[in-house]
Amino acid sequence: MDIYKENILYHSRYPKNYGRLKDKTHSIRINNPLCGDQIEIELKIKKGIIKKIGFVAEGCIISRASSSMFLEFIKGKTLKELGQISQDQVIKLLGVKLGVNRMKCALLPFLAIRDILKANVKKNNQ
Amino acid sequence: MLNVQKIKRDFPIFQKIPNLIYLDSTATSLKPREVMKKGREYYENYGANIFRGIYSLSERATEAYEETRKKMAKLINAYYAEEVIFTKNTTESINLIVFGLARYLIKKDDEILVTMMEHHSNFVPWQMLCQEKKAKFRVVGVEKDNGFLDFVDFERNNNLKINMDKLKKWVTKKTRFFSLTSISNVLGTINPIKEIIKAVKEINKETIIIIDGAQALPHQSVNVQDLGIDFFVGSSHKMLGPTGVGILWGRLELLRQMRPVFYGGEMVEWVSKEKSIFQNPPYRFEAGTPAIAQVVALGTAIDYLIKIGFKNIENHEKELVRYAFDCLKKTFGEKIKILGKDNILFRSGIISFNLRKIHPHDLAHFLGQKNICVRSGHHCAMPLHQFYRINGSVRASFYLYNDFSDIDKLILNLKKAINFF
């Protein structure tokens, strides 16, 4: 069973939204404890909507491709919509079957966004 | 060379997965049938708890459990069998030393020494203790090119020599503990432990020395008396034994000073409302029901290893690692970056490398799809990888069930990976 399908290789080589934002409102850095890889995600959130996304990653093909696909997917969504996205949807975007260990690579951007959401809720409640 | 075809027949996993190429014995070894049979024998024939029962089943279980202690003591040439403590794993063994002994001996400004090539299990507990006690946590450097500790000089005639001037920078009168690995789980470097210990004790004979033998115990004969060390730790699951059992050996006078970390059943001699009196070592460190079946089966793993012979295993692995080194270099040249020195004399059956710019996870995944099991990532040695300025590496490691054809298949598929990525 091959996970390195054409679209995954493509997204990893030419990731969408790659790079940093000049006018970010939120940012986060997340590590993959499995390998020491890092992903940094920057967002511009305005009126509860994700307007812009940028990311830089030092990671494997799966984490890069997943970042590219998932972040493109959430662009333009509201924070409420974002909160309803499940892990399964992230994996579905990739369209391949991953084992438990490799799943961590694919879910890195999802977990990062979830942390941003949590921090955002906390900030608003304060 | 060992008769690998014959050995493979002892490992049921090769019958279930005939084309399995297992190159990750540094993480855990495969298990021979006899070992599993022994664990099952305990459950089927005398599966009672140890020590407490007066009936014959319990006595038989106790005898089998203690038999392994004696075998382990003999294997590492302990002074007494009571010096061998069964823990959960190597990590727990080290934590017991750190939080049962070092915690009570260390004072502010004392120094604890580890090395850059330690597994996290021999790094983080000491780092935590130093933070708690405001003691100095010092990390001996590694020579980038040859993968030796920085106070070990490599001489042209294939000799290793301890550089006393450099060592004196690390070991001082304040060094209370020096904990180091016998073999690096990433570089494969075999440290000249005996020479190091002699030199350290010359500078400070009070320094307590702990050897992390997790990578040594499965591959070479260990003689704790000859080495002159104070503590030695290792794991069952890397030496053909079951998971869930670690080894902690310590000199009896040190074990008597050491306090338990876990309290409860089995480790006490007397309990009243006012106070509790603990048993003597090793029992005071084995609170609660231990992993009986696993310990019993570990005895069989020891028998198996002795039957094959440690010298034979060591030679076999050296042949493999030499072959792997030559083939990787010849095939990939500048495209491959192998960590550590290509001197087989001082290298265990471990090769960690990076191929082109292919991420270690992707490479390992690609190989995994062909049933070739290698490890990728930082191998629980992040400081070492940071020192080499890489995020991770791919590691292939060899044991008694590997042969040249495994390496040939590895090389073949690495070539395919280069074309693919």
Side-chain angles (χ1 to χ4, degrees):
Chain A
M1 203 221 37
D2 192 2
I3 62 161
Y4 297 108
K5 295 213 182 310
E6 204 46 53
N7 67 326
I8 288 189
L9 290 175
Y10 182 83
H11 271 275
S12 141
R13 279 179 198 140
Y14 313 104
K16 292 198 187 311
N17 304 304
Y18 201 83
R20 295 180 187 279
L21 299 182
K22 279 194 186 116
D23 48 353
K24 64 175 181 202
T25 56
H26 295 74
S27 68
I28 191 161
R29 182 157 62 181
I30 193 161
N31 298 310
N32 186 351
L34 206 63
C35 55
D37 282 352
Q38 276 192 348
I39 296 183
E40 282 181 76
I41 299 176
E42 298 181 345
L43 299 175
K44 185 186 175 187
I45 302 176
K46 209 175 155 190
K47 291 181 185 160
I49 296 172
I50 297 179
K51 293 283 186 194
K52 281 188 198 167
I53 293 180
F55 83 98
V56 287
E58 202 168 303
C60 63
I61 288 176
I62 295 300
S63 69
R64 282 170 71 94
S66 181
S67 298
S68 168
M69 289 168 162
F70 174 66
L71 296 177
E72 179 67 9
F73 173 71
I74 64 170
K75 207 152 78 174
K77 287 203 170 12
T78 64
L79 291 180
K80 200 179 157 203
E81 285 170 327
L82 209 56
Q84 287 160 353
I85 296 172
S86 69
Q87 292 194 5
D88 290 349
Q89 271 173 288
V90 184
I91 302 300
K92 237 184 203 161
L93 283 175
L94 281 167
V96 289
K97 211 167 170 286
L98 293 170
V100 277
N101 288 337
R102 216 60 210 280
M103 199 77 96
K104 290 172 193 154
C105 311
L107 289 176
L108 266 191
F110 172 78
L111 296 175
I113 291 293
R114 208 182 54 183
D115 284 352
I116 289 183
L117 278 183
K118 267 193 228 153
N120 203 46
V121 170
K122 226 164 120 191
K123 213 162 92 186
N124 290 343
N125 289 344
Q126 272 166 7
Chain B
M1 295 294 284
L2 295 169
N3 184 344
V4 171
Q5 284 318 313
K6 188 164 166 269
I7 287 173
K8 273 187 163 176
R9 285 199 287 275
D10 294 337
F11 290 74
I13 200 163
F14 289 113
Q15 272 107 64
K16 303 243 179 206
I17 314 166
N19 59 351
L20 174 67
I21 297 173
Y22 188 75
L23 302 176
D24 198 17
S25 297
T26 297
T28 197
S29 71
L30 304 174
K31 321 295 177 211
R33 185 178 295 104
E34 285 168 47
V35 169
M36 292 181 254
K37 223 171 99 190
K38 190 72 181 178
R40 194 183 167 124
E41 180 201 287
Y42 158 76
Y43 286 121
E44 285 184 351
N45 298 291
Y46 47 96
N49 211 329
I50 49 172
F51 302 132
R52 274 165 284 214
I54 302 302
Y55 48 93
S56 70
L57 286 194
S58 175
E59 286 188 332
R60 204 172 150 197
T62 307
E63 270 169 29
Y65 183 86
E66 288 301 322
E67 188 60 32
T68 301
R69 199 189 306 278
K70 285 183 208 149
K71 281 180 187 172
M72 182 53 76
K74 203 171 156 209
L75 182 70
I76 60 174
N77 196 26
Y79 300 92
Y80 310 100
E82 297 97 290
E83 293 170 330
V84 173
I85 298 159
F86 292 120
T87 63
K88 189 174 72 186
N89 46 37
T90 303
T91 301
E92 185 178 294
S93 298
I94 293 170
N95 273 275
L96 284 184
I97 301 167
V98 172
F99 294 102
L101 183 69
R103 179 182 243 164
Y104 303 102
L105 296 181
I106 287 290
K107 286 185 278 305
K108 188 170 173 259
D109 297 330
D110 279 347
E111 294 175 7
I112 287 177
L113 203 55
V114 299
T115 83
M116 188 71 95
M117 60 168 83
E118 298 311 315
H119 187 284
H120 293 161
S121 62
N122 195 27
F123 195 94
V124 183
W126 298 107
Q127 190 180 41
M128 291 301 111
L129 182 71
C130 286
Q131 284 174 13
E132 182 188 313
K133 295 287 175 186
K134 298 194 166 47
K136 238 191 208 163
F137 179 63
R138 302 189 67 201
V139 184
V140 176
V142 168
E143 283 299 325
K144 216 168 220 158
D145 295 333
N146 62 26
F148 292 130
L149 293 172
D150 71 3
F151 58 75
V152 176
D153 286 346
F154 181 70
E155 295 183 323
R156 244 174 271 146
N157 52 354
N158 270 340
N159 263 338
L160 295 185
K161 209 177 156 221
I162 308 298
N163 184 322
M164 287 306 272
D165 291 335
K166 283 188 189 163
L167 185 62
K168 276 178 187 159
K169 286 184 185 144
W170 296 112
V171 180
T172 70
K173 286 286 163 216
K174 287 182 169 182
T175 309
R176 298 302 306 269
F177 288 86
F178 184 13
S179 193
L180 77 157
T181 189
S182 181
I183 295 172
S184 161
N185 73 321
V186 177
L187 304 168
T189 308
I190 301 172
N191 287 321
I193 292 298
K194 196 176 171 182
E195 291 77 11
I196 292 174
I197 287 156
K198 201 170 150 257
V200 170
K201 296 270 181 184
E202 259 172 43
I203 300 170
N204 184 350
K205 66 178 192 331
E206 304 290 316
T207 303
I208 295 173
I209 299 178
I210 298 104
I211 298 300
D212 176 355
Q215 298 304 342
L217 204 48
H219 306 282
Q220 49 179 234
S221 61
V222 172
N223 185 334
V224 294
Q225 293 192 35
D226 180 54
L227 289 173
I229 49 181
D230 300 304
F231 285 100
F232 181 87
V233 296
S235 283
S236 150
H237 72 95
K238 291 192 204 292
M239 56 184 299
L240 310 183
T243 54
V245 183
I247 316 301
L248 164 53
W249 170 86
R251 283 196 294 115
L252 205 52
E253 59 264 41
L254 285 170
L255 292 180
R256 286 193 181 121
Q257 285 178 50
M258 197 161 108
R259 296 198 207 175
V261 173
F262 304 110
Y263 297 89
E266 214 56 77
M267 48 84 66
V268 282
E269 200 177 284
W270 172 265
V271 180
S272 69
K273 242 169 88 180
E274 290 74 29
K275 66 169 186 182
S276 298
I277 301 169
F278 309 127
Q279 289 215 61
N280 284 326
Y283 305 109
R284 78 164 74 147
F285 303 110
E286 294 178 2
T289 298
I292 304 170
Q294 290 90 322
V295 168
V296 170
L298 168 61
T300 306
I302 295 173
D303 294 342
Y304 188 93
L305 286 170
I306 290 173
K307 194 177 78 194
I308 302 281
F310 279 98
K311 205 67 217 159
N312 296 333
I313 294 172
E314 217 181 319
N315 290 339
H316 180 75
E317 289 169 359
K318 285 215 187 291
E319 289 293 322
L320 290 177
V321 81
R322 186 195 307 271
Y323 182 71
F325 229 107
D326 291 348
C327 291
L328 286 169
K329 278 275 175 214
K330 209 166 66 194
T331 314
F332 301 108
E334 293 297 304
K335 289 179 207 150
I336 195 163
K337 293 257 179 301
I338 300 175
L339 300 180
K341 195 170 174 64
D342 64 352
N343 193 316
I344 306 306
L345 271 180
F346 309 108
R347 184 186 270 269
S348 183
I350 297 171
I351 290 194
S352 298
F353 60 88
N354 273 294
L355 191 60
R356 271 204 174 153
K357 292 244 181 272
I358 307 174
H359 191 283
H361 270 18
D362 292 319
L363 197 50
H365 200 116
F366 185 86
L367 295 172
Q369 288 173 341
K370 322 273 179 194
N371 269 331
I372 301 173
C373 308
V374 295
R375 195 81 192 281
S376 62
H378 49 62
H379 323 300
C380 293
M382 278 176 118
L384 184 69
H385 281 82
Q386 286 153 6
F387 171 68
Y388 277 95
R389 293 182 182 283
I390 48 178
N391 265 6
S393 54
V394 171
R395 180 184 70 193
S397 53
F398 313 115
Y399 206 8
L400 46 90
Y401 34 65
N402 295 117
D403 58 15
F404 291 138
S405 76
D406 291 345
I407 296 166
D408 292 339
K409 282 172 196 142
L410 171 71
I411 305 264
L412 178 75
N413 284 287
L414 286 174
K415 276 194 223 161
K416 286 186 186 167
I418 282 195
N419 289 332
F420 182 80
F421 289 113

